[in-house]
Each structure stands twice: as C-alpha cells, then as structure tokens.
Amino acid sequence: MPDVRDVVILGSGPAGLTAAIYTARANLAPLVVEGEPSSTSDQPGGQLMLTTEVENYPGFVDGILGPELMQRFRDQASRFGAEYVTRKASAVDLSRRPFPVWVDDPATTDPAVEARSLIVATGARSLMLGVPGEEKLLGHGVSTCATCDGFFFRDQEIVVVGGGDSALEEAIFLTRFASRVTVVHRRKELRASKIMQDRAFANDKIAFRWDSVVTEILGDTKVSGARIRNVLSGEVEDVAVSGIFVAIGHQPNTALFSGQLDMDDNGYLRTSAGSRSSVEGVFVCGDVQDHVYQQAITAAGSGCMAAIDAERWLEAQGR
Ligand code: NAP
C-alpha cells in the first residue's frame, strides 16, 4: 500500500520549499517530490540552482548564491520534519482521493504516495529557439545556464539571445569569463529593467545586435558560430562564437496536469481565492501559476499561501 500523506508537495523551488516549511511546522509531515539532479530548471531547487548572485531576496544584505539560498530553504524545511523523494513526479490522478502520485522509478509502476491534499509548485522551464543546430549542440556550446557553463568559455566569444532581465543577467555574468559577449535581440528596445540595462550598457565587454535573430547554430560536434539575420534589412551573417546562451523566457511545467487542472492559454495554472486550483484539495504556488512577477520572493510568498490554504482545507475536512 502506498504511503498516504496529508500534504504532498510537487516541486522544490522557493514556492515548494516554503510550503514545506509552513506545512512541516503545522505538523502535517509533508513529502516533497523534489525532482532529479539535471541541468534544467526542473531539478531539485528549481531555477535558482541555475542562478549566481541573488541580490534582491530580503534579508541578505550582501546577496547570496542561488544554490546556497535553496539549500537553506531545504535545511529549514527538514528541521521541522519535511521529507523528500529525489525523483520527478511522472503522473498524478486528480479524479481519485487520496490523489495517487507516481514518480519516475524503473523499479515499480505503483504510485509512490497518495495525497489527501496536493501542493503544486512545479515551476517553469527555459524556452528554446527551435532553430537548426540548437538541440544537437545543447551541452556542447548551447546552454541555458551561465552559472553552470560560463566557466567553460574563458577568453572566448559568446552570444546571448534575448532582451529581458535573464539575458542581461547572463550576459553580465558571462563577462567574468568570456572575451566578448554579444546580446542578440529581435527588437531595438530591451525588455529588461532599467538597472540591468544600465549595468549591461556600462560593461565594455558587452555588445548588442539589435533587430536580429539567430536562425541557425553552427558546428558539428560543438558550437563554432551563429547565423544571425537582421529582421529589418534581411542581411545574414555567420558570426564565429563558441558559446550560445538562450535566455528568451520560460514555459510552465504543467504537462502532468493537462486535462485535470484549469490552465490559461500559455499553460499556466489558474488559481482563485488565494492558491486554490480548479480541483478541491489541490493548491498551486510559484512560477507555475505566475507569468507576471516570477521572483523568488513572490514564489516563496505564494508557497506560504498554499500551505496555509491546504492546512485550513484539511482542518475543514476533519484532519
Ligand atoms: P522575458 O522578460 O519574457 O524576456 C524574454 C526576452 O526574450 C524578450 O526580450 C523577448 O523579446 C525575447 N524572446 C522571446 N522569444 C524569443 C524568440 N523566439 N527569439 C528571440 N527572442 C525571443 O523573460 P526573462 O528575461 O526570462 O525574465 C522573466 C521574468 O523574470 C521577468 O519578469 C524578469 O524581470 C524576471 N527576472 C528578473 C531578474 C532580476 O531581477 N535579476 C533576473 C532574471 C529574470 P521581446 O522583448 O521582443 O518580447
């Protein structure tokens, strides 16, 4: 018989782990399905594992590294009794109660756990360009994570694609290693915040290619260049670079809930009355329901809301 828990939390970024801290302190013995180590944002700890310095999380006057912040969240939840399954959730059935949750485990086809209430904090992942060469060369010069891979590009030339805060953050970080970083952006105006723009413009290792898109990533076994097209003039140029960092936004990790929970047109889960989903007893927090703020602090705040909502709901069910 699978373990039956009052609270199962899917995801272990700031939202999931804050929900774990709160539900653990409420004596609900949460089980966190935290994901598996990988180079993507659905690994344990979520997207902050792919970040360097976090300077805007309140309380850390001098900033803190993303992975260290997440380790602290995890340790804090453990202290109050949260437990972890270090695997990815592979399926949930929200038509049965308690909700069965399966994980990627070659050893069994049985559910790993059943949940009286479920907190969904599965986050979001990097969007990719979908151009020739990208998939083949991912991990061979194509990256979505400057923190993980920047070190490999010492004294080399790099392209960063995108015009938001992520792109500029990656570009600025990469100047620690690279000889030159070219930001390729499809428009003339950046989407990034003013402070990030100012920092990038002041960095003499960063150049910009405006109104431009990468149409192909060149190289056989590793990246040798980027084919860049100016969208106004149509002019195409092959630029020799050894790294291409894609930073064009994110997609919510909601495939597990397709047909089971209400989502918007972009696949973000819809919530109402705090963190409630369209299924009673399922609560949602973090980037999987937020395409607007997408900050560690807002994710953590919504994780707290989901935990309190789950606790009150369980209490109303007589738990
Ligand atoms: P974003 O703000 O959505 O920016 C995505 C960028 O990629 C945009 O400039 C967009 O161009 C471009 N883009 C999208 N699809 C593209 C495609 N197929 N080809 C080429 N370019 C494409 O995403 P983000 O930068 O990941 O940031 C997400 C949120 O996190 C934002 O709210 C941001 O403020 C926040 N964030 C904050 C920090 C920080 O405070 N330190 C760091 C990272 C992220 P258009 O502009 O033309 O749409």
Side-chain angles (χ1 to χ4, degrees):
M1 287 291 287
D3 185 13
V4 182
R5 295 277 179 141
D6 281 332
V7 178
V8 172
I9 298 168
L10 305 183
S12 58
L17 292 180
T18 301
I21 292 166
Y22 272 77
T23 51
R25 286 192 80 250
N27 275 339
L28 291 169
L31 183 72
V32 182
V33 180
E34 65 175 347
E36 280 166 53
S38 72
S39 61
T40 58
S41 56
D42 54 0
Q43 65 175 301
Q47 293 177 77
L48 282 191
M49 300 302 283
L50 312 178
T51 315
T52 44
E53 206 71 48
V54 178
E55 290 182 331
N56 52 10
Y57 200 87
F60 296 91
V61 179
D62 300 316
I64 182 169
L65 294 174
E68 190 188 338
L69 182 60
M70 293 328 298
Q71 187 62 46
R72 289 185 183 215
F73 273 57
R74 194 181 190 278
D75 292 347
Q76 194 174 348
S78 297
R79 184 180 149 213
F80 298 111
E83 293 180 307
Y84 300 90
V85 176
T86 309
R87 290 192 183 276
K88 279 184 192 171
S90 56
V92 292
D93 183 351
L94 303 182
S95 68
R96 281 159 55 188
R97 287 173 196 271
F99 308 118
V101 176
W102 288 264
V103 299
D104 275 333
D105 182 355
T108 175
T109 54
D110 292 335
V113 62
E114 291 182 342
R116 292 190 184 94
S117 74
L118 193 65
I119 296 181
V120 177
T122 47
R125 64 175 61 235
S126 301
L127 288 174
M128 301 303 289
L129 297 170
V131 299
E134 182 183 49
E135 202 177 324
K136 178 179 77 173
L137 295 169
L138 190 62
H140 303 280
V142 176
S143 174
T144 57
C145 175
T147 325
C148 319
D149 302 328
F151 183 79
F152 301 117
F153 297 92
R154 196 170 287 279
D155 298 326
Q156 297 174 39
E157 298 211 6
I158 290 176
V159 153
V160 172
V161 186
D165 280 323
S166 297
L168 296 195
E169 193 174 71
E170 301 271 275
I172 292 164
F173 177 71
L174 288 166
T175 60
R176 295 188 194 186
F177 309 100
S179 55
R180 185 179 173 81
V181 177
T182 302
V183 176
V184 177
H185 182 40
R186 63 185 179 184
R187 295 187 293 138
K188 192 132 192 108
E189 290 86 37
L190 292 166
R191 184 176 292 276
S193 56
K194 173 88 169 59
I195 185 168
M196 296 298 280
Q197 294 196 29
D198 290 346
R199 282 187 200 172
F201 290 143
N203 189 319
D204 57 15
K205 277 191 174 179
I206 299 179
F208 288 86
R209 269 190 183 241
W210 304 111
D211 301 313
S212 296
V213 292
V214 171
T215 57
E216 185 171 349
I217 296 175
L218 309 171
D220 281 335
T221 54
K222 57 182 184 147
V223 169
S224 60
R227 183 157 296 163
I228 298 175
R229 181 168 58 87
N230 185 299
V231 293
L232 300 182
S233 67
E235 192 183 315
V236 175
E237 189 186 346
D238 289 351
V239 176
V241 288
S242 46
I244 300 188
F245 286 76
V246 180
I248 59 168
H250 298 91
Q251 185 177 24
N253 295 319
T254 48
L256 281 182
F257 314 106
S258 175
Q260 303 198 77
L261 292 178
D262 279 358
M263 300 178 191
D264 70 14
D265 292 344
N266 297 315
Y268 286 85
L269 297 180
R270 288 189 204 277
T271 55
S272 62
S275 66
R276 281 163 183 74
S277 74
S278 53
V279 171
E280 214 185 295
V282 180
F283 304 88
V284 182
C285 52
D287 285 8
V288 73
Q289 50 89 55
D290 170 22
H291 56 90
V292 179
Y293 302 105
Q294 301 181 310
Q295 300 300 302
I297 185 68
T298 51
S302 72
C304 163
M305 290 163 61
I308 291 173
D309 289 343
E311 189 188 327
R312 290 180 182 162
W313 183 81
L314 284 164
E315 203 171 294
Q317 310 302 303
R319 295 298 306 168

